[in-house]
Amino acid sequence: QVQLVESGGGLVQAGGSLRLSCAASGNNFRINNMRWYYQAPGKQRELVAGITRGGSTNYADFVKGRFTISRDNAKNTVYLQMNSLKPEDTAVYYCNADGYYYSDYRSYWGQGTQVTVSS
């Protein structure tokens, strides 16, 4: 089976930085796209950033210039470097990956990692 495991969340002061990691495990999973979402309390899950297998990226407007998504295809890992953090960035951050698991196209989610930014 395929599992996504996030790490790197925590408590940081406003203006600080955190780096999230998400590693995908499981054989026969060829990952195409990897994305980070966030979900604040009482709100819907929203896309933060995405990256294709070839390295093309896209970002939500509210993180442009502050967050950077990257990936290491050899390690099946995606990263989110978060700089200039704001209290409104406080949320649970989820990793998502889609691709071919054997011949089936599937999407998988991690369990989430809490990011808390204090003012």
Side-chain angles (χ1 to χ4, degrees):
Q1 265 294 0
V2 175
Q3 282 190 315
L4 302 183
V5 179
E6 299 112 331
S7 61
L11 173 64
V12 65
Q13 288 189 329
S17 298
L18 283 174
R19 188 189 194 214
L20 305 183
S21 299
C22 171
S25 63
N27 295 325
N28 298 297
F29 181 43
R30 178 176 169 82
I31 302 173
N32 280 349
N33 306 300
M34 303 188 84
R35 304 176 183 90
W36 287 98
Y37 289 76
Y38 89 147
Q39 188 166 20
K43 297 191 176 181
Q44 290 188 333
R45 195 171 297 187
E46 293 185 51
L47 178 67
V48 174
I51 185 167
T52 68
R53 186 172 184 84
S56 297
T57 59
N58 64 285
Y59 296 92
D61 286 344
F62 61 89
V63 303
K64 284 181 179 177
R66 299 190 299 127
F67 292 8
T68 302
I69 190 170
S70 61
R71 65 188 283 177
D72 184 334
N73 290 334
K75 297 181 179 179
N76 283 345
T77 300
V78 64
Y79 306 96
L80 186 68
Q81 178 66 43
M82 305 187 293
N83 298 328
S84 303
L85 282 161
K86 305 175 181 179
E88 52 264 43
D89 295 322
T90 295
V92 178
Y93 284 72
Y94 295 92
C95 172
N96 171 262
D98 62 58
Y100 282 97
Y101 181 65
Y102 290 96
S103 59
D104 294 334
Y105 204 87
R106 296 189 181 181
S107 177
Y108 296 94
W109 291 90
Q111 81 287 352
T113 185
Q114 177 70 46
V115 171
T116 303
V117 184
S118 63
S119 58

